[in-house]
């Protein structure tokens, strides 16, 4: 009975642990609702298992006098140990399965976040490149530049710069500059830099040589702002092509988009990085470190850094990988490349947060195990008490039967006119009726329990 109760309970608890999370994950997708459902699921489990245990205990351990044959006490120790081992094995299997499912679920979530952020940044970059491509192929801008620079028409130059300023405002760029074919600054909006950095000049020469738009950055300017430049040639200008530089403030859209984490998380983070020589350069503002955009560099030889592992070719894009982040904290993450750039995006969380949820589930399993062990111990105790009760009942009935037999024998002996007596193996009198007492002339108290010879009886 005890083993059957424990096995039924363990089977039900195991099926609940293995199947309930999958059913909840299929039925609910919202994280807040999922948390509420998980809490309700725990209470429902307690209620159902309590009713199950009550029914099983009431059915199995109900004591009805005379309903069960009287037997000697049976040894329950091996069965109880077997039940405990079975419960602990199921608990271990449940905990391992819970950790694996939690890691799988978190991997799917990180994969979805990395895909989402990669698409968002890719779409944003394509939109910016589309703006640059529109300017590159603009016949009107090309004619106005030619009339301004080649023919000396100042009015055409004013129309050109006004149109570029309006383009900046309508398309949300931080600043616009116009460079001559040699990469020297001709004009710029009020917030455009007055000088041209050597890196920007080198990029301008490459764009002029290729005849196709390109981008430069993110980088920090002299004011400490993180910028991203889109450079395009005015291809409709005859001869050597001038260049238009469209500057984007990375803090306007790019950084806030990366910092938004879909769903509650204490450590979740998406970030951009690229290779910079023998270092990993982080391109955006990091959640746990200020002033890090285009500024924080970590040696590529750092063997545990997620970014370093990818750049060294140890792991592949899109796979769930583990390692450490820029804080030297153990994390898991997914890395995707940004199309058309040398950037990489990683979505990551701390491993402690991953195991925190798994530990909560493991604690729940542990409580279930303790409840199961308590039920097993209580059942074993009830069974022993039941056996003791049955043995006591057996002894009581045996003694009553003996008393009835002795009373019947005494009644028969006392009513007989013949002398009747009985001795034990040592010769002591156990029975001595009235006729025998009259025959020997002694009271029964003087004879019972004593060894009296024949001569003494005659006396």
């Amino acid at each position: 009975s005890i083993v059957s109760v424990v096995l039924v309970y363990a089977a039900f608890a195991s099926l609940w642990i293995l199947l309930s999370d999958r059913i909840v994950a299929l039925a609910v997708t919202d994280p807040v609702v999922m948390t509420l459902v998980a809490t309700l699921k725990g209470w429902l489990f307690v209620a159902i298992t309590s009713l199950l245990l009550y029914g099983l205990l009431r059915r199995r351990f109900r004591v009805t006098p005379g309903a069960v044959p009287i037997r000697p006490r049976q040894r329950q120790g091996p069965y109880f140990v077997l039940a405990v081992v079975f419960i602990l094995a199921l608990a271990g299997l449940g905990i391992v399965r819970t950790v694996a499912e939690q890691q799988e679920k978190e991997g799917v979530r990180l994969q979805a976040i990395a895909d989402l952020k990669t698409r968002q940044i890719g779409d944003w970059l394509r939109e910016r490149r589309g703006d640059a491509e529109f300017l590159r192929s603009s016949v009107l801008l090309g004619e106005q530049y030619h009339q301004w620079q080649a023919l000396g028409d100042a009015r055409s130059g004013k129309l050109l710069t006004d149109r570029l300023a309006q383009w900046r405002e309508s398309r949300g760029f931080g600043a616009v500059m116009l460079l001559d074919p040699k990469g020297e600054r001709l004009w710029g909006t009020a917030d455009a830099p007055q000088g041209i950095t050597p890196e920007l000049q080198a990029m301008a020469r490459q764009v002029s040589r290729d005849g196709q738009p390109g981008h430069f950055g993110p980088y920090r300017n002299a004011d400490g702002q993180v910028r991203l430049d889109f450079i395009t040639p005015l291809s409709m200008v005859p001869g050597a092509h001038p260049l238009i530089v469209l500057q984007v403030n990375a803090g306007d859209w790019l950084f806030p988009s990366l910092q938004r984490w879909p769903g509650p998380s204490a450590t979740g983070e998406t970030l951009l990085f690229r290779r910079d020589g023998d270092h990993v350069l982080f391109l955006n503002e990091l959640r746990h470190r200020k002033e890090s955009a285009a500024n924080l560099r970590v040696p590529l030889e750092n063997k545990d850094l997620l970014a370093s592992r990818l750049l060294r070719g140890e792991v592949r894009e899109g796979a769930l990988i583990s390692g450490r982040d820029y804080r030297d904290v153990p994390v898991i993450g997914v890395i995707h490349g940004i199309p058309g750039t040398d950037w990489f995006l990683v979505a990551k969380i701390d491993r402690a947060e991953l195991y925190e949820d798994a530990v909560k589930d493991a604690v729940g399993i542990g409580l279930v195990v303790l409840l199961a062990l308590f039920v097993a111990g209580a059942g074993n105790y009830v069974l022993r008490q039941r056996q003791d009760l049955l043995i006591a009942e057996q002894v009581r009935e045996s003694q009553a039967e003996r008393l009835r037999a002795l009373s019947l024998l005494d009644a028969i002996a006392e009513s007989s006119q013949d002398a009747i007596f009985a001795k034990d193996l040592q010769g002591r009198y156990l029975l001595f009726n009235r006729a025998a007492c009259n025959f020997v002339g002694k009271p029964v108290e003087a004879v019972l329990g004593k060894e009296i010879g024949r001569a003494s009886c005659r006396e």
Side-chain angles (χ1 to χ4, degrees):
S1 298
I2 178 65
V3 173
S4 63
V5 170
V6 171
L7 292 180
V8 170
Y9 179 83
F12 176 80
S14 301
L15 291 175
W16 183 283
I17 292 170
L18 295 175
L19 299 180
S20 60
D21 287 338
R22 291 183 176 272
I23 295 174
V24 171
L26 292 175
V28 181
T29 57
D30 185 81
V32 178
V33 178
M34 184 176 293
T35 302
L36 177 60
V37 171
T39 303
L40 295 177
K41 178 171 68 70
W43 286 110
L44 181 62
F45 176 78
V46 172
I48 293 177
T49 52
S50 298
L51 292 174
L52 177 65
L53 291 174
Y54 174 77
L56 290 173
L57 290 173
R58 183 175 181 180
R59 178 180 178 184
R60 295 290 184 181
F61 302 117
R62 180 169 56 238
V63 177
T64 303
V68 181
I70 299 174
R71 296 178 294 184
R73 176 185 290 178
Q74 298 178 351
R75 295 182 60 191
Q76 299 297 326
Y79 298 104
F80 179 72
V81 172
L82 178 63
V84 170
V85 171
F86 182 73
I87 292 173
L88 293 177
L90 285 178
L93 178 62
I95 292 174
V96 171
R97 180 60 181 170
T98 297
V99 173
E101 285 185 350
Q102 182 65 28
Q103 184 167 346
E104 180 182 356
K105 181 174 68 176
E106 201 59 48
V108 172
R109 185 165 74 126
L110 289 173
Q111 186 71 257
I113 293 173
D115 288 340
L116 173 64
K117 296 296 184 181
T118 300
R119 286 197 305 270
Q120 288 178 341
I121 295 175
D123 293 342
W124 180 76
L125 287 173
R126 280 192 294 272
E127 185 178 354
R128 304 297 87 172
R129 293 191 189 106
D131 293 335
E133 180 63 27
F134 177 83
L135 296 178
R136 184 188 74 84
S137 58
S138 174
V139 176
L140 177 61
L141 295 180
E143 290 178 353
Q144 289 176 342
Y145 180 85
H146 178 71
Q147 291 175 5
W148 175 34
Q149 292 295 314
L151 304 180
D153 184 1
R155 181 174 176 276
S156 296
K158 181 68 167 57
L159 291 174
L160 172 63
T161 55
D162 288 346
R163 186 174 297 275
L164 290 176
Q166 293 174 0
W167 180 265
R168 165 194 170 274
E169 293 182 2
S170 64
R171 302 304 295 173
F173 289 99
V176 177
M177 288 191 301
L178 181 62
L179 308 181
D180 64 16
K182 296 181 180 179
E184 300 296 333
R185 188 179 189 274
L186 292 175
W187 169 86
T189 55
D191 47 2
Q194 296 299 316
I196 305 297
T197 63
E199 294 81 6
L200 181 58
Q201 284 185 334
M203 187 66 191
R205 287 193 296 268
Q206 179 180 342
V207 170
S208 180
R209 186 168 55 251
D210 297 340
Q212 296 295 327
H215 70 269
F216 172 69
Y219 66 93
R220 285 187 176 270
N221 62 12
D223 298 329
Q225 296 178 328
V226 181
R227 298 280 183 140
L228 178 62
D229 294 345
F230 293 86
I231 309 173
T232 182
L234 280 175
S235 300
M236 297 296 104
V237 176
H241 304 316
L243 303 168
I244 297 177
V245 180
L246 304 172
Q247 292 191 331
V248 177
N249 186 350
D252 290 342
W253 182 88
L254 183 60
F255 291 172
S257 175
L258 288 169
Q259 291 169 353
R260 285 192 293 270
W261 185 268
S265 174
T267 62
E269 184 179 13
T270 53
L271 52 89
L272 290 175
F273 67 90
R274 67 177 176 84
R275 182 167 187 165
D276 185 23
D278 56 354
H279 286 76
V280 177
L281 175 64
F282 292 94
L283 304 178
N284 65 304
E285 285 296 322
L286 303 178
R287 180 175 184 175
H288 306 285
R289 186 167 299 182
K290 302 300 182 182
E291 300 299 323
S292 54
N295 190 36
L296 177 62
R297 288 175 169 81
V298 178
L300 190 63
E301 62 188 18
N302 188 323
K303 63 178 183 179
D304 295 327
L305 188 70
L306 287 183
S308 298
R309 296 189 64 193
L310 178 78
L311 295 176
R312 291 197 304 264
E314 298 175 359
V315 296
R316 60 183 179 85
E317 294 182 29
L320 182 66
I321 59 176
S322 61
R324 294 181 176 270
D325 67 355
Y326 55 90
R327 301 167 297 160
D328 199 31
V329 172
V331 296
I332 63 169
V334 175
I335 302 178
H336 284 181
I338 305 296
T341 70
D342 59 350
W343 305 350
F344 295 92
L345 180 142
V346 56
K348 66 175 183 65
I349 64 168
D350 289 1
R351 261 189 290 184
E353 181 178 349
L354 166 68
Y355 293 133
E356 181 180 355
D357 293 336
V359 166
K360 291 180 181 178
D361 294 338
V363 169
I365 295 175
L367 293 176
V368 172
V369 171
L370 290 177
L371 181 59
L373 293 176
F374 172 77
V375 170
N380 186 58
Y381 175 78
V382 170
L383 183 58
R384 292 175 64 88
Q385 293 295 318
R386 177 173 178 266
Q387 290 180 343
D388 291 341
L389 179 61
L390 293 177
I391 292 173
E393 182 70 15
Q394 180 186 29
V395 172
R396 187 187 66 79
E397 291 183 359
S398 176
Q399 290 175 345
E401 184 67 25
R402 292 178 62 186
L403 287 174
R404 286 193 296 269
L406 290 174
S407 297
L408 178 61
L409 180 61
D410 184 68
I412 294 173
E414 290 298 324
S415 62
S416 175
Q417 299 299 320
D418 298 324
I420 300 175
F421 63 90
K423 291 183 178 183
D424 61 14
L425 295 178
Q426 284 74 35
R428 294 185 294 267
Y429 285 94
L430 299 177
L431 177 65
F432 212 79
N433 70 346
R434 186 181 296 112
C437 291
N438 294 334
F439 178 77
V440 299
K442 291 186 178 183
V444 67
E445 294 81 3
V447 178
L448 289 181
K450 297 179 180 180
E451 182 180 358
I452 303 175
R454 185 177 301 177
S456 299
C457 288
R458 290 176 180 175
E459 293 174 0

